[in-house]
Amino acid sequence: DYYARDRKGNIRWKTPSNLCSTNPEVIEIVAKNINEFFRNNPDAIVASLDPNDYSPMCLCDRCLALDKQYGQTKEDGMAVADRLLHFSKEIYDRLEPQFKDKFLGILVYGLQIELPKSAKPHAHHAGIICDMMWVYDHSRPWNDPTSSLNSHFYELVKGWGKLLPQFGYYDYYGQVSYLGPWSMVHKLREDLPAFHDLGGTFLMLENQPVFITQGLNHYIAGKLVWDV
């Protein structure tokens, strides 16, 4: 019962499944583990509540009812930002008093990248929006109006930037599936200042062991992080 279920009650497996985020026992177990994490890692600023990467989300009656409570009428588990924000608040409410200054983080990515219908992040929720290279156009900046894909991502950045108290950006300036030049300088020179202007507070930029052909991206990114 802890795992994501389909409408027939079967576990939704896809290497691996996700947890049912409305199961009361799951909530208590996760809260216990997060408190233990902060106890064992006193210098940690944030703990992750991420669901497994693109694994199917729960479609039990309780999860779908929560979705509807926030105005999400889809019943396929493909847009779950509201329920994950709700889950984050449930865990935050169960943090021990000495950990109330910590943050709980979820990637704004995959099945949770679209803006929530009505759920609002709590004051200690951190999100990192991911410029997914298999979805969006990495040949142009995401504020380039000539790209419809990037225009949608730009709207997501603006929307999440207004919601999140701590707002991060994740991108792929190193590309391990292609070992040649991965020219991102023209893109990141536009993206990073724009992200800063839209409320961005931190970055997580993926690196791969191909510095000889892609290192310039990280060098310029480092310069812009220092002085956007």
Side-chain angles (χ1 to χ4, degrees):
D1 287 344
Y2 291 173
Y3 292 96
R5 301 280 171 161
D6 62 21
R7 294 302 294 148
K8 295 180 180 179
N10 301 310
I11 294 177
R12 304 187 73 195
W13 289 115
K14 187 187 174 183
T15 320
S17 182
N18 272 310
L19 297 172
C20 171
S21 62
T22 62
N23 183 299
E25 291 182 54
V26 166
I27 293 170
E28 295 301 328
I29 291 170
V30 172
K32 178 182 176 182
N33 287 343
I34 295 295
N35 279 303
E36 184 177 353
F37 169 79
F38 283 133
R39 255 192 310 275
N40 294 332
N41 299 274
D43 293 331
I45 299 171
V46 61
S48 170
L49 297 180
D50 277 321
N52 286 317
D53 195 338
Y54 271 102
S55 290
M57 301 297 289
C58 189
L59 302 179
C60 74
D61 290 344
R62 186 175 49 226
C63 283
L64 294 185
L66 180 67
D67 289 347
K68 290 183 173 62
Q69 175 184 320
Y70 285 107
Q72 178 54 262
T73 58
K74 293 182 178 179
E75 295 190 349
D76 55 8
M78 299 296 287
V80 294
D82 291 272
R83 74 165 74 169
L84 290 179
L85 290 176
H86 180 94
F87 180 66
S88 181
K89 181 64 164 58
E90 293 276 9
I91 303 304
Y92 184 77
D93 288 345
R94 289 164 174 77
L95 289 183
E96 295 172 11
Q98 67 269 30
F99 304 136
K100 290 292 189 179
D101 62 335
K102 305 292 188 177
F103 285 83
L104 301 175
I106 295 178
L107 280 172
V108 181
Y109 165 91
L111 306 181
Q112 60 268 14
I113 195 167
E114 295 297 326
L115 290 165
K117 294 293 186 181
S118 63
K120 297 291 188 291
H122 60 81
H124 284 258
H125 182 86
I128 308 175
I129 194 164
C130 180
D131 192 0
M132 301 177 290
M133 62 189 180
W134 55 96
V135 176
Y136 304 111
D137 178 4
H138 274 60
S139 71
R140 288 173 281 185
W142 40 254
N143 60 4
D144 184 337
T146 66
S147 171
S148 59
L149 288 174
N150 288 2
S151 293
H152 178 64
F153 183 75
Y154 191 25
E155 293 304 312
L156 292 176
V157 173
K158 289 189 284 188
W160 282 105
K162 294 176 182 177
L163 289 173
L164 289 167
Q166 290 292 333
F167 186 33
Y169 178 59
Y170 192 113
D171 208 341
Y172 303 83
Y173 295 162
Q175 171 53 279
V176 74
S177 61
Y178 173 64
L179 302 182
W182 176 248
S183 301
M184 290 291 105
V185 171
H186 67 291
K187 173 175 167 57
L188 64 90
R189 285 180 62 198
E190 298 288 339
D191 290 352
L192 297 184
F195 180 68
H196 176 269
D197 291 344
L198 293 170
T201 57
F202 65 99
L203 301 172
M204 183 178 288
L205 303 173
E206 185 162 318
N207 192 11
Q208 301 287 353
V210 285
F211 192 84
I212 193 169
T213 55
Q214 302 174 10
L216 184 61
N217 297 338
H218 299 285
Y219 176 78
I220 299 299
K223 289 286 190 179
L224 284 171
V225 170
W226 185 257
D227 183 358
V228 74

